[in-house]
C-alpha cells in the first residue's frame, strides 16, 4: 500500500493506471487504498464539464490542456462515456479528441464507462480523480457523458462546473428547464463559428439576468481555440476562490456525502434487484392478484429482505 | 451479458454488477494509413460484444499508441494497417511495449497483410493476424480464447 502510494507520488504512470483499475465498483468492502485516498486528498479543486452529446466537451478539454500546460500545470483528465444499452461494452471516444497530449508527461487522461450508472458519471470517477490528485495533477478535469435531462450529478462531485452548450441542439430550452443551467459556475457556448451561436449566447445571458444570477457566459470555438484563453482566465478566478481553507473543508464534506449517496443508492438497488428476482415474488404476485394483501405490504417485505441482505453483507465484510 | 428483462425489471437488475468488469481493448492506427473503415467496423463489433473500446483515431505514432495503452490499462491492443507499412510500425510498437515492461497485454493485428509477413509478426508477439474478409465471429472467438487463457 505505502509502496503504491509512493510510486504514485513519484509519478509512476503504470502504477497510477493500475490503481485506477482497482476500484471496488461492486460495492465490496473498500480497499485500504480507497481509505487512504479519502484521507489524503481534497486540496485540489476538480473542474467538471457537462453538456449535451456532441457539443464539443472533449474538444474544449483538448484546447484547455494546451493552455494549462503553457501555464505550467500538470493536468489530469477523467472522461466518461456511456455504456451501451445493448451490451456491457462501450466506445470510449473522448480521448480521440485529445490524442496530441498522449505522450505529454504532464497530462494523464483516463477514459471510463458509466457501467449502468445513470447520473452521467461512473462510480469509478471519484476514485480516478482522487488518484490523479494524489499523483500531483492539478487541476483535475472531469468530462461527463452527454447529458440529457436530470443528470446533474457532476454538481456533487466537481468544485467548479462548466456547462457547455452549442447551437443546433433544439432542446436547449429543455436543458434550461431540466436544471442544467442551475448547476453552472460558467457557461461556455461552443461552436461560435456557426451562425446561430450568438443568439444562444444572448438567450442564456437573458436567462441568467432573469434569475438574477451573476454567471459568466463565454463564447468559444473549441476547435480553433478562439475564446478558450478567456474561458480559462475565468476558470482561474473561480478556482482561486476555491482554494481557501473553508472551501477545502466543505469540499471534503461534499465529496464524501456524494460518495455515501452514490454507494448507498447503488447497494440498495443491487440488493433490491436480487430481492425482486427471488422466489417469494411469485407468491406476492398471486396474493396481490387475489386481493389477499396490499401493495404496501409487498413493498415493505421486499425492502426488508433487501435490507437484511445488506446487513448480512456488512457483517461478513 | 446484461439481462434485458421484461416487466420493467430492467432498471433494477441492470444494476447487478458482474464479478468481472468488461475487458478493455485499444484499437490503434499507426502511421500515415488513412483506411479506417475496418477499424471503425471493429470497434462497434467489439462494443456490442461487451468490450470497452478505446479508439485512437488515425495517424498516430507508436509512442502515442503505447502510452495510451499504458494509461488506459487495457487488456488488449489491436493494430489495424492497410498501407503495407505493418512490419516496421508494428515492430516499433512491440519494441516500445517491451521497453516499458508491458508484457501481459494481448496483441492483435489486422489489415492487408500478406501471408509471408505473418510469421514475423507472430514472432514479435502478435497472437493473431486477421486479413480482409476475416469474419467477426472468428475475431471475437479468438479474442475470447486469448483472454480466458490468461485468467
Ligand atoms: C475502401 C478503400 C479505400 C478508401 C478508404 C476509406 C476509409 N476511410 O477507410 C479510400 C478510397 C479513401 C482509399 C484510399 C487509398 N487506398 Co485504399 N482501399 C480500400 C479497399 C478497397 C477496401 C478497404 C476496406 O475498407 N475494407 C473493409 C474493411 C471492413 O476491411 P479491412 O479494413 O480489411 O478489415 C478487416 C480485416 O482486415 C480485419 N482487420 C483489419 N484491421 C484489424 C485490426 C484488428 C485488431 C483485427 C483483430 C482485425 C482487423 O478485420 C476486418 C473485418 O474482416 C482496399 C482493398 C481491400 N480489398 O482491402 C484498398 C487498399 C487498402 N487501398 C490501397 C491504396 C494503395 C490506397 C491509396 C494509397 C490509393 C491512392 N493511390 O490514392 C489511398 C490511400 C488512403 C490513405 N490516406 O491511406 C491498397 C493498399 C496497398 C498495400 N497495402 O500495399 C489496397 C489494398 C488496394 C490495392 N489492392 O491496391 N482506399
Ligand atoms: N463547428 C465547430 N465544431 C466543433 C467545435 N468544437 C467541436 N466541434 C465538433 O463537434 C463534434 C463533437 O465534438 P466532441 O468534442 O467530441 O463533443 P463532446 O461534447 O465531447 O461529445 P460527447 O462526449 O460524445 O458527448 C466534433 O465533430 C468536433 O469537431 C467548434 O468550435 N466549432
Ligand atoms: Mg466527449
Amino acid at each position: 500500500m505505502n509502496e503504491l502510494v509512493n510510486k504514485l507520488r513519484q509519478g509512476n504512470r503504470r502504477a497510477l493506471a493500475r490503481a485506477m483499475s482497482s476500484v471496488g465498483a461492486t460495492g465490496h468492502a473498500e480497499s485500504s487504498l480507497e481509505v487512504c485516498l479519502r484521507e489524503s486528498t481534497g486540496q485540489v479543486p476538480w473542474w467538471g464539464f457537462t453538456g449535451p452529446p456532441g457539443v464539443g466537451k472533449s474538444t474544449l478539454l483538448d484546447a484547455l490542456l494546451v493552455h494549462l500546460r503553457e501555464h505550467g500545470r500538470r493536468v489530469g483528465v477523467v472522461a466518461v462515456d456511456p455504456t451501451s444499452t445493448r451490451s456491457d461494452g462501450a466506445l470510449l471516444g473522448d480521448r480521440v479528441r485529445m490524442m496530441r497530449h498522449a505522450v505529454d508527461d504532464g497530462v494523464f487522461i483516463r477514459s471510463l464507462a458509466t457501467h449502468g450508472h445513470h447520473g452521467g458519471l461512473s462510480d469509478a470517477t471519484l476514485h480516478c480523480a482522487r488518484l490523479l490528485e494524489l499523483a500531483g495533477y492539478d487541476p483535475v478535469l472531469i468530462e461527463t457523458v452527454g447529458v440529457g435531462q436530470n443528470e446533474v450529478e457532476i454538481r456533487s462531485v466537481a468544485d467548479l462546473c462548466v456547462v457547455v452548450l452549442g447551437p443546433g441542439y433544439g432542446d436547449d430550452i429543455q436543458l434550461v428547464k431540466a436544471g442544467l443551467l442551475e448547476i453552472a459556475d460558467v457557461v461556455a457556448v461552443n461552436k461560435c463559428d456557426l451562425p446561430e451561436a450568438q443568439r444562444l449566447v444572448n438567450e442564456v445571458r437573458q436567462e441568467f439576468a432573469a434569475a438574477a444570477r451573476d454567471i459568466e457566459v463565454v463564447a468559444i470555438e473549441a476547435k480553433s481555440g478562439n475564446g478558450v484563453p478567456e474561458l480559462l482566465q475565468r476558470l482561474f478566478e473561480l478556482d482561486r476562490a476555491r482554494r481557501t481553507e473553508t472551501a477545502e473543508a466543505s469540499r471534503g464534506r461534499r465529496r464524501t456525502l456524494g460518495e455515501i449517496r452514490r454507494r448507498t443508492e447503488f447497494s440498495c438497488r443491487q440488493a433490491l434487484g436480487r430481492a425482486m428476482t427471488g422466489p417469494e415474488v411469485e407468491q406476492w404476485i398471486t396474493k396481490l392478484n387475489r386481493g389477499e394483501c396490499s401493495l404496501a405490504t409487498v413493498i415493505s417485505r421486499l425492502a426488508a429482505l433487501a435490507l437484511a441482505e445488506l446487513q448480512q453483507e456488512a457483517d461478513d465484510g | 451479458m446484461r439481462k434485458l428483462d421484461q416487466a420493467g425489471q430492467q432498471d433494477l437488475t441492470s444494476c447487478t454488477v458482474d464479478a468481472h468488469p468488461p475487458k478493455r481493448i485499444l484499437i490503434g492506427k499507426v502511421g500515415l494509413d488513412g483506411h479506417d473503415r475496418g477499424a471503425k467496423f471493429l470497434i462497434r463489433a467489439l462494443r456490442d460484444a461487451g468490450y470497452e473500446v478505446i479508439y485512437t483515431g488515425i495517424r498516430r505514432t507508436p509512442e502515442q499508441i503505447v502510452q495510451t495503452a499504458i494509461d488506459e490499462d487495457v487488456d488488449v491492443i489491436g493494430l489495424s494497417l492497410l498501407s503495407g507499412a505493418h512490419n516496421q510500425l508494428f515492430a516499433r510498437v512491440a519494441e516500445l511495449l517491451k521497453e516499458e515492461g508491458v508484457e501481459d497485454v494481448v496483441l492483435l493485428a489486422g489489415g492487408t497483410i500478406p501471408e509471408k509477413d505473418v510469421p514475423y509478426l507472430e514472432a514479435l508477439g502478435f497472437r493473431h493476424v486477421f486479413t480482409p474478409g476475416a469474419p467477426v465471429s472468428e475475431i471475437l472467438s479468438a479474442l475470447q480464447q486469448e483472454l480466458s487463457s490468461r485468467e
Side-chain angles (χ1 to χ4, degrees), chain A residues 186-206:
Chain A
V186 195
V187 171
V189 174
N190 189 30
K191 309 197 183 183
C192 280
D193 49 314
L194 300 179
E196 319 91 271
Q198 192 53 48
R199 211 200 63 227
L200 180 59
V201 172
N202 295 338
E203 269 176 19
V204 178
R205 284 193 177 136
Q206 276 161 21

Side-chain angles (χ1 to χ4, degrees), chain A residues 53-59 81 94 97 143 146 190-191 193 221-223:
Chain A
V55 74
K57 299 178 290 295
S58 305
T59 313
D81 269 318
D94 295 323
R97 314 268 179 228
E143 176 182 343
N190 189 30
K191 309 197 183 183
D193 49 314
E221 292 170 27
K223 218 168 173 177

Side-chain angles (χ1 to χ4, degrees), chain B residues 40-85:
Chain B
K40 285 184 166 164
F41 166 80
L42 207 63
I43 60 178
R44 292 203 162 70
L46 289 165
R47 175 198 58 192
D48 293 344
Y51 294 94
E52 287 183 4
V53 189
I54 291 133
Y55 177 51
T56 63
I58 57 171
R59 302 208 172 91
R60 302 310 177 194
T61 62
E63 286 78 6
Q64 286 176 323
I65 302 277
V66 169
Q67 194 58 58
T68 300
I70 290 172
D71 290 358
E72 297 285 0
D73 195 21
V74 295
D75 306 285
V76 183
I77 300 176
L79 300 178
S80 175
L81 207 73
L82 282 78
S83 71

Side-chain angles (χ1 to χ4, degrees), chain A residues 162-229:
Chain A
V162 183
V163 170
V164 188
L165 298 175
Y169 299 89
D171 51 359
D172 274 330
I173 283 310
Q174 256 160 332
L175 291 171
V176 171
K177 279 191 210 148
L180 199 55
L181 289 187
E182 254 110 274
I183 67 167
D185 295 305
V186 195
V187 171
V189 174
N190 189 30
K191 309 197 183 183
C192 280
D193 49 314
L194 300 179
E196 319 91 271
Q198 192 53 48
R199 211 200 63 227
L200 180 59
V201 172
N202 295 338
E203 269 176 19
V204 178
R205 284 193 177 136
Q206 276 161 21
E207 198 64 42
F208 284 128
R213 290 181 67 211
D214 182 22
I215 304 287
E216 195 156 331
V217 181
V218 187
I220 61 165
E221 292 170 27
K223 218 168 173 177
S224 70
N226 284 346
V228 174

